[in-house]
Amino acid sequence: MRVVYEGKTKTVLRDEATGDTYLRFKDSATGEDGNFDPGSNFVGGSVDGKGKTGLQISQYFFELLAEHDIPTHYLGADIESCLMKVRQVDVPRLEFILRYFTAGSFSRRFSIPNGIAFDPPYTEVTLKDDEQGDPLVTERVCLMMGLLQEGEYDKTLQLLIRIGEVLRHELAEMGLRLIDFKIEIGFDSDRNIYLADEITPDIWRVQDEDGNIPNQIDCANILLQRIAAKLAE
């Protein structure tokens, strides 16, 4: 396979013989100063088995979202090879964020305590640009930069909220409260919108029954156990 793009935690691959596209989940994790952090723009280390675990979790949640008629780029998974087959889509340099409670960069930006509830949930869109610190962008900027077309900004935010409803409910059943999360989206040749990238603890913050916010490594281990329990029911 040919490497199309090398990301922090995944590699995009293209099978030259079939034209199929795959994501390879890597063992690298984002973080800084020895701490793992899903909100970081830097690779903070490597954890054996993280790629396989992330793919197992993504498979579970992508298939769950499909049951709720949410369009995604997911087409299948080879767990042992850490490969996820995906629909070929064009992914703009944007991240769409949904916040249920104040936390992380939002709290730091406005000097607001963590844990204040948003009602309704708070949405943000950022430009993926590590050097600029992933700045917030408006619909007008997205149109000016050619990242989105008319109407797609609002359509994506509507999709973001629908995704959040499913994730929030499912995580609550697993004893975890969803604080915030971020997604990437992609477009096919007809400009249909799909949830892209991954669904792992690398994209969200959650709070456990004791009020702790586990890092993405610990959260993944918790989820694997609770997914196994749900599948065994």
Side-chain angles (χ1 to χ4, degrees), residues 60-70 72 162 166 170:
Y60 179 83
F61 282 102
F62 273 123
E63 292 178 357
L64 176 68
L65 290 170
E67 293 174 7
H68 288 80
D69 298 320
I70 290 176
T72 79
R162 287 178 58 204
V166 176
E170 187 68 12

Side-chain angles (χ1 to χ4, degrees), residues 142-155:
C142 291
L143 294 174
M144 182 177 67
M145 295 181 67
L147 298 171
L148 296 175
Q149 296 181 9
E150 286 285 351
E152 292 176 346
Y153 189 95
D154 286 339
K155 286 180 181 178

Side-chain angles (χ1 to χ4, degrees), residues 86-131:
V86 297
R87 187 186 309 272
Q88 188 171 341
V89 292
D90 178 34
V91 180
R93 296 186 300 120
L94 297 170
E95 287 186 328
F96 297 83
I97 301 165
L98 187 65
R99 300 183 184 276
Y100 291 107
F101 298 90
T102 56
S105 63
F106 185 94
S107 295
R108 293 192 297 272
R109 195 185 318 146
F110 298 109
S111 299
I112 294 175
N114 293 333
I116 300 174
F118 287 112
D119 187 16
Y122 187 84
T123 60
E124 294 178 325
V125 183
T126 63
L127 179 68
K128 292 189 68 175
D129 187 327
D130 292 346
E131 291 186 3

Side-chain angles (χ1 to χ4, degrees), residues 182-193:
K182 60 185 178 182
I183 62 167
E184 295 182 25
I185 54 96
F187 298 93
D188 66 13
S189 57
D190 295 320
R191 299 300 290 183
N192 294 309
I193 303 175

Side-chain angles (χ1 to χ4, degrees), residues 2-233:
R2 178 173 63 88
V3 175
V4 178
Y5 175 76
E6 193 74 51
K8 298 182 185 72
T9 59
K10 293 177 300 301
T11 303
V12 181
L13 302 168
R14 183 78 39 77
D15 187 325
E16 298 285 19
T18 65
D20 294 334
T21 302
Y22 296 85
L23 298 185
R24 173 175 286 137
F25 284 62
K26 301 193 288 188
D27 287 346
S28 54
T30 55
E32 294 180 69
D33 302 323
N35 297 312
F36 294 118
D37 179 3
S40 174
N41 288 332
F42 304 96
V43 173
S46 179
V47 178
D48 288 343
K50 178 180 179 293
K52 182 178 179 179
T53 298
L55 180 53
Q56 289 174 291
I57 294 170
S58 285
Q59 179 185 38
Y60 179 83
F61 282 102
F62 273 123
E63 292 178 357
L64 176 68
L65 290 170
E67 293 174 7
H68 288 80
D69 298 320
I70 290 176
T72 79
H73 73 161
Y74 173 84
L75 295 176
D78 181 343
I79 301 298
E80 294 307 315
S81 299
C82 294
L83 289 175
M84 184 167 75
K85 185 178 181 180
V86 297
R87 187 186 309 272
Q88 188 171 341
V89 292
D90 178 34
V91 180
R93 296 186 300 120
L94 297 170
E95 287 186 328
F96 297 83
I97 301 165
L98 187 65
R99 300 183 184 276
Y100 291 107
F101 298 90
T102 56
S105 63
F106 185 94
S107 295
R108 293 192 297 272
R109 195 185 318 146
F110 298 109
S111 299
I112 294 175
N114 293 333
I116 300 174
F118 287 112
D119 187 16
Y122 187 84
T123 60
E124 294 178 325
V125 183
T126 63
L127 179 68
K128 292 189 68 175
D129 187 327
D130 292 346
E131 291 186 3
Q132 297 298 324
D134 296 342
L136 292 169
V137 289
T138 62
E139 178 181 22
R140 188 171 178 180
V141 172
C142 291
L143 294 174
M144 182 177 67
M145 295 181 67
L147 298 171
L148 296 175
Q149 296 181 9
E150 286 285 351
E152 292 176 346
Y153 189 95
D154 286 339
K155 286 180 181 178
T156 301
L157 291 182
Q158 291 167 12
L159 179 63
L160 175 69
I161 291 169
R162 287 178 58 204
I163 292 167
E165 290 171 351
V166 176
L167 297 182
R168 189 182 194 188
H169 180 267
E170 187 68 12
L171 288 167
E173 287 197 343
M174 296 181 182
L176 298 169
R177 182 167 71 169
L178 184 58
I179 296 173
D180 56 25
F181 71 100
K182 60 185 178 182
I183 62 167
E184 295 182 25
I185 54 96
F187 298 93
D188 66 13
S189 57
D190 295 320
R191 299 300 290 183
N192 294 309
I193 303 175
Y194 296 89
L195 171 62
D197 199 37
E198 64 181 310
I199 308 176
T200 72
D202 283 351
I203 74 163
W204 62 44
R205 287 185 187 87
V206 296
Q207 190 174 53
D208 65 19
E209 299 96 327
D210 298 321
N212 301 313
I213 299 177
N215 63 42
Q216 63 265 51
I217 308 304
D218 294 337
C219 183
N221 292 330
I222 293 169
L223 282 172
L224 272 189
Q225 296 173 6
R226 298 186 184 180
I227 287 172
K230 286 180 71 71
L231 294 176
E233 291 176 354

